[in-house]
Amino acid sequence: MTAAVLGMPAAETPDPKPSCVDDPVCGQIWRWTRSEWFAEGSNYLVVKPLTILLILLLAFLLRYLLHRTINRLVRSTSESKIPAVLKPLRERIPTAAPDPEAIYPERRRQRAEAIGSVLRSMTTAVVFAIAALQILSELSFNLAPLLASAGIAGVALGFGAQTLVKDLIAGLFMLLEDQYGVGDVVDLGEATGVVESVGLRITTVRDARGVVWYIRNGEIIRVGNKSQGWAMVIVDMPIGFARTEEATAVLKTAAASVAVDPELAPELVEPPEVVGVEQITVDGAVIRTVAKTTAEGQLPVSRELRRRLAEALENSGITAGIAATRMFPRPAAPPEDPGTGQGGPT
């Protein structure tokens, strides 16, 4: 006889337990909900979504912290006075230059921002690539074929875009090695002029005629930078057949006047020096004068030095002797007589 016939209350039928009740998460959810299907699917309905959400949150947090660190580094590099990251540039700046700590602020800013942009892109790619692999692993994807396919695709993309990769790598090393920057006068082969902008792929140069050149960094084989550190001014003055001692004394006096000029002295790293006779030509001797200047002061110092040397020679009368020599050149020696070995009649 059943309990209902005897008038006794029926016993409650216990809920079926899920097969994963020994699992901590599954057992706890079953105890909370008493739902077998929800407890058995808790790994896909609760655990994996929460794990994926946690991975994404950690990835965004890590990216934010890394970007903040890079931005702070870029800002301090742009605003500080020649930071340690620009040590190669600091070593090339002459100590006698006017206010060397304030040279090339725009150059430092662009260089720092370009390097910062590369670092931010690299950190974003690395962080989210690792997060994507972790998410795929949580979704029970087999990562071995995926990684192999990604490697093959990367090799194929590298071959297809090797010119772009070459430009980017060359631009990155150019920035890291501080080869040139905004405001520098550079010789890049066919293009020579002032650098207007520097990027990872393209360098923009404006030449003396105002033409803007866009040069891919991967195509730059050699760089002649005329603006880093100090520059040398070389002036060769012809003196004809005048006495070299007299001409040298005149040129030394003129060169000394340039060294004490209050407008030009700050641009001089070393005072002008008359080094002596550089060469002998058919028009007479040529005396060389050299001066070491700052990169920015090369042109004004060279122009003023040439002007004063020429005026000194003219005021001393040596220039008149040079003109007379050119107007009435000395007669050439007569050819030798084959029989006597002596020159012919004059």
Side-chain angles (χ1 to χ4, degrees):
M1 298 176 63
T2 64
V5 173
L6 297 175
M8 299 175 59
E12 296 182 359
T13 305
D15 295 333
K17 293 183 178 181
S19 59
C20 61
V21 70
D22 295 332
D23 183 78
V25 177
C26 177
Q28 185 63 39
I29 292 178
W30 181 77
R31 284 190 292 271
W32 284 345
T33 62
R34 292 296 177 174
S35 175
E36 180 183 6
W37 69 271
F38 189 69
E40 291 182 348
S42 61
N43 188 38
Y44 293 96
L45 298 176
V46 177
V47 177
K48 289 187 179 295
L50 290 179
T51 304
I52 293 174
L53 182 60
L54 180 61
I55 292 174
L56 291 176
L57 290 177
L58 291 177
F60 278 106
L61 178 61
L62 181 60
R63 175 180 176 273
Y64 169 76
L65 294 176
L66 291 175
H67 280 205
R68 184 176 180 180
T69 303
I70 294 171
N71 291 334
R72 182 175 298 179
L73 176 63
V74 169
R75 185 166 54 253
S76 62
T77 301
S78 301
E79 297 174 356
S80 61
K81 295 185 177 181
I82 308 184
V85 71
L86 295 180
K87 186 177 180 181
L89 174 62
R90 177 174 57 189
E91 293 175 350
R92 287 192 287 268
I93 294 179
T95 56
D99 194 12
E101 295 288 339
I103 293 180
Y104 306 140
E106 178 65 16
R107 170 190 184 141
R108 292 203 308 269
R109 185 190 65 80
Q110 278 213 4
R111 180 169 178 244
E113 289 185 355
I115 296 177
S117 175
V118 175
L119 292 178
R120 285 192 295 267
S121 300
M122 291 178 60
T123 54
T124 300
V126 171
V127 169
F128 282 107
I130 296 176
L133 292 178
Q134 292 292 331
I135 292 173
L136 292 177
S137 177
E138 289 295 328
L139 297 177
S140 301
F141 276 91
N142 188 1
L143 297 181
L146 182 62
L147 294 177
S149 302
I152 297 174
V155 172
L157 182 61
F159 277 109
Q162 55 182 331
T163 302
L164 177 61
V165 175
K166 178 181 177 182
D167 295 339
L168 295 178
I169 294 176
L172 179 60
F173 276 100
M174 179 273 298
L175 291 172
L176 293 176
E177 295 171 1
D178 192 22
Q179 297 175 7
Y180 54 85
V182 175
D184 286 357
V185 179
V186 296
D187 182 358
L188 302 180
E190 295 185 2
T192 301
V194 180
V195 178
E196 291 197 340
S197 66
V198 176
L200 285 177
R201 195 179 72 88
I202 293 292
T203 295
T204 305
V205 175
R206 186 180 296 273
D207 63 13
R209 298 182 178 180
V211 180
V212 178
W213 295 79
Y214 298 92
I215 305 105
R216 291 193 294 110
N217 294 328
E219 296 297 322
I220 299 176
I221 301 176
R222 61 176 179 83
V223 178
N225 195 325
K226 303 179 182 180
S227 300
Q228 282 185 346
W230 52 269
M232 183 68 73
V233 173
I234 301 176
V235 180
D236 292 333
M237 299 298 297
I239 62 170
F241 294 96
R243 293 175 57 87
T244 57
E245 295 83 358
E246 178 185 358
T248 301
V250 171
L251 294 178
K252 284 184 177 180
T253 303
S257 67
V258 174
V260 297
D261 190 321
E263 295 183 359
L264 299 177
E267 304 293 343
L268 291 171
V269 178
E270 293 180 3
E273 178 184 2
V274 180
V275 296
V277 178
E278 176 65 21
Q279 58 180 336
I280 301 295
T281 66
V282 295
D283 294 328
V286 176
I287 295 182
R288 171 165 292 184
T289 304
V290 298
K292 183 180 289 187
T293 70
T294 62
E296 294 81 5
Q298 182 182 24
L299 290 179
V301 170
S302 63
R303 293 191 183 102
E304 185 63 19
L305 184 61
R306 290 189 184 96
R307 186 185 68 81
R308 297 197 183 190
L309 294 179
E311 286 184 355
L313 292 178
E314 184 178 358
N315 294 335
S316 65
I318 296 177
T319 304
I322 298 174
T325 302
R326 292 178 178 175
M327 187 176 298
F328 305 103
R330 294 185 179 184
E336 295 184 355
D337 189 347
T340 62
Q342 299 178 355
T346 58

